[in-house]
Amino acid sequence: MASPDTVAELIARLDAPDHGRWAAQLRRTGGCRQPIHLRGHVLHVDPATGRRLHTYTTATEPGGILRVPCKTRRASRCPSCAETYRADTYHLIRAGLVGGKGVPPTVATHPCLFVTLTAPSFGLVHTRRERGAKLLPCHPRRNARTCPHGRVLSCTAKHSADDPRLGEPLCPECYDYSGSVLFNAVAPELWRRFTEALRRRFAKLSGLTLKALKEKVTISFAKVAEYQRRGVVHLHAVIRLDGPDGPESPPPGWASAEALAQAVQHAVSAVTVTITAADGEPARVLKWGTQLDIRRIAMDGGLTEQAVASYIAKYATKAAECVGALDQRINPLTDLDTLPIRDHARRLIAACMHLGAFDELADLRLIQWAHMLGFRGHFSTKSRHYSTTLGDIRADRTERVRAEAITTGRLPLFDEDTVLVITHWEYVGKGLSPVDALLASLRLEVNPDA
Ligand SMILES: [Zn+2]
Ligand SMILES: [Zn+2]
Ligand SMILES: [Zn+2]
């Protein structure tokens, strides 16, 4: 609820002569929750005469400040910018499946799989289990054993979808918190080794050397990380076979989805990452979980390209949900007990802080990435050949915004080659004042598409 002071200030702002500019700025940031504030100017100069053709300065903006969107991918930080990111990711993934954005439509005929690589178990956790429409008990065990901490390792509850216990261990003392955060920390390296092993295996199945395979087939990837409720990442990946030049070239007939699936199966079970022992912590060998889901992406029903693109785009905007709103780096001196999170997340963060202090594990940078529960990989990545880039999609949009500014007369039409553009920007802060926030929220409620 807005305070009376905020409402009074809002009314004063709406009455002010520059309220139109101010509202327009908020509109341009598209409901961004934490817009970046800039001060500066843009000068268009004729290089021949030195004459100023056009001047834009933030001095004419309300408060002398221009607000631009924060462009975060995190829905928890800024729902509006994350939505833009989600939509861009969707188009990027979809272009790699059916073409568009510079990718030829023939790419749709290339063999393509949707693969989910899972984390292993680090102990029993409360789970929502369903068979069809029927909800099943969590972990029913008739003669369940009792753990060393006196807990019976059975749970007959039928957990509702919003049960906060979901993903939390039956016994926190038994749960392998170190294993969980170490797996997150090495997941990007496991992925890299998986892609290498996949190429090697696919070459072997094709009766070719790796070098000979590269001259005939490109294996392209796009992947996204998804946090499970238990706080460990799974990776979802689109894996596609192309000819030697990427999506423009068809793969040879023998390069089939079946052979690719076989190679995926092998590569997932073959790769490991070894963690060296540290004071009191044993050495470990980490690998993917035994659950592996491989599905064909087909245009004829089944798993459609829209479903895959939506799925990947959705996860691209999420962080570790089990830590809730805590998505900033954690100061190592913070008393973890003061963090507004559940005990399970606190224990995962504590494991990062504990392991991160060992010299042997310094490379994993667990303290810096404690708020991500050890995972420091990119959320969504793709290989060079997969499709277009987020940068190209963004440039496309910027170009459209610029075209709109020109046609509506806000920006003069200059030939870029003959005009000197001098810009100077200065970062002066970010966020919304209480009044800005109130107006932005009103706007969102009244017109969610604005
Ligand atoms: Zn934003
Ligand atoms: Zn349970
Ligand atoms: Zn126990």
Side-chain angles (χ1 to χ4, degrees):
M1 198 52 212
S3 75
D5 283 355
T6 306
V7 174
E9 199 189 328
L10 176 70
I11 292 167
R13 279 271 200 108
L14 291 171
D15 275 344
D18 65 353
H19 93 266
R21 295 287 304 166
W22 175 64
Q25 271 200 23
L26 278 177
R27 199 162 48 242
R28 257 207 313 283
T29 57
C32 176
R33 191 192 271 179
Q34 46 175 18
I36 309 294
H37 299 182
L38 298 173
R39 192 178 290 143
H41 57 253
V42 181
L43 308 177
H44 289 82
V45 179
D46 183 341
T49 63
R51 193 168 64 90
R52 240 186 237 190
L53 300 171
H54 181 259
T55 306
Y56 166 78
T57 159
T58 54
T60 60
E61 301 290 351
I65 281 166
L66 180 70
R67 294 165 179 83
V68 296
C70 71
K71 294 186 180 166
T72 184
R73 66 165 186 81
R74 300 274 191 83
S76 55
R77 286 187 194 165
C78 178
S80 158
C81 292
E83 172 53 26
T84 307
Y85 185 92
R86 190 202 60 74
D88 288 354
T89 304
Y90 174 86
H91 290 298
L92 180 152
I93 297 296
R94 192 170 184 278
L97 298 173
V98 293
K101 311 271 170 201
V103 180
T106 47
V107 77
T109 63
H110 299 189
C112 197
L113 300 176
F114 186 56
V115 175
T116 299
L117 304 177
T118 62
S121 168
F122 297 103
L124 285 182
V125 296
H126 292 285
T127 313
R128 184 176 158 84
R129 298 199 305 127
E130 286 163 292
R131 190 182 295 137
K134 198 163 173 259
L135 195 55
L136 303 176
C138 170
H139 281 289
R141 298 285 181 278
R142 206 181 299 278
N143 298 307
R145 66 186 175 86
T146 304
C147 81
H149 314 97
R151 289 191 179 87
V152 180
L153 296 180
S154 169
C155 174
T156 52
K158 294 176 181 174
H159 296 293
S160 66
D162 58 355
D163 191 326
R165 286 176 297 168
L166 284 175
E168 301 196 349
L170 268 59
C171 175
E173 276 77 35
C174 283
Y175 196 74
D176 182 7
Y177 283 95
S178 298
S180 177
V181 299
L182 287 170
F183 177 85
N184 282 350
V186 301
E189 179 60 17
L190 267 177
W191 166 259
R192 198 186 63 77
R193 293 184 186 186
F194 160 75
T195 60
E196 281 181 4
L198 175 62
R199 287 194 180 96
R200 276 198 305 274
R201 187 65 176 189
F202 193 75
K204 197 171 175 198
L205 287 173
S206 314
L208 297 170
T209 63
L210 198 53
K211 188 164 173 285
L213 179 75
K214 275 191 185 136
E215 284 158 17
K216 295 184 167 65
V217 174
T218 308
I219 306 182
S220 301
F221 306 91
K223 73 153 172 36
V224 70
E226 179 210 355
Y227 276 93
Q228 302 302 110
R229 293 223 204 206
R230 57 186 164 126
V232 78
V233 289
H234 281 184
L235 297 183
H236 302 286
V238 173
I239 308 179
R240 192 187 63 215
L241 295 175
D242 297 327
D245 303 320
E248 292 80 23
S249 54
W254 49 261
S256 67
E258 289 71 28
L260 181 61
Q262 251 184 60
V264 166
Q265 218 138 24
H266 172 86
V268 165
S269 59
V271 294
T272 59
V273 172
T274 303
I275 305 271
T276 50
D279 185 29
E281 286 288 331
R284 331 169 158 245
V285 176
L286 290 163
K287 51 192 300 179
W288 298 110
T290 47
Q291 271 185 36
L292 169 67
D293 187 42
I294 304 179
R295 282 186 278 174
R296 263 191 94 155
I297 302 169
M299 303 307 133
D300 50 4
L303 188 61
T304 64
E305 89 283 352
Q306 283 103 329
V308 170
S310 313
Y311 201 66
I312 290 191
K314 183 179 97 187
Y315 288 122
T317 63
K318 292 203 170 167
E321 251 175 306
C322 82
V323 298
L326 185 84
D327 64 357
Q328 311 283 342
R329 287 200 174 173
I330 299 163
N331 183 328
L333 300 177
T334 301
D335 176 3
L336 298 186
D337 288 338
T338 63
L339 296 177
I341 49 176
R342 289 178 65 85
D343 187 53
H344 182 59
R346 200 184 321 275
R347 285 172 185 257
L348 287 165
I349 290 170
C352 289
M353 295 300 188
H354 171 70
L355 295 169
F358 295 126
D359 287 343
E360 296 89 335
L361 304 176
D363 288 350
L364 300 177
R365 305 180 64 215
L366 284 162
I367 292 175
Q368 289 92 321
W369 295 96
H371 63 300
M372 299 293 275
L373 312 180
F375 181 66
R376 66 188 189 293
H378 290 291
F379 254 73
S380 45
T381 58
K382 63 175 195 61
S383 57
R384 190 165 48 88
H385 280 298
Y386 179 73
S387 77
T388 177
T389 66
L390 277 180
D392 281 351
I393 289 179
R394 285 193 198 115
D396 211 38
R397 192 176 43 240
T398 310
E399 190 47 45
R400 262 186 289 123
V401 170
R402 185 171 171 275
E404 189 195 273
I406 291 169
T407 50
T408 55
R410 274 189 282 132
L411 197 73
L413 183 61
F414 292 127
D415 184 347
E416 299 275 321
D417 293 336
T418 59
V419 170
L420 190 62
V421 183
I422 300 166
T423 57
H424 169 79
W425 294 112
E426 184 190 336
Y427 173 85
V428 286
K430 73 170 182 178
L432 292 170
S433 70
V435 181
D436 290 345
L438 180 60
L439 191 80
S441 70
L442 290 175
R443 191 172 297 284
L444 282 176
E445 278 159 31
V446 173
N447 185 358
D449 298 325

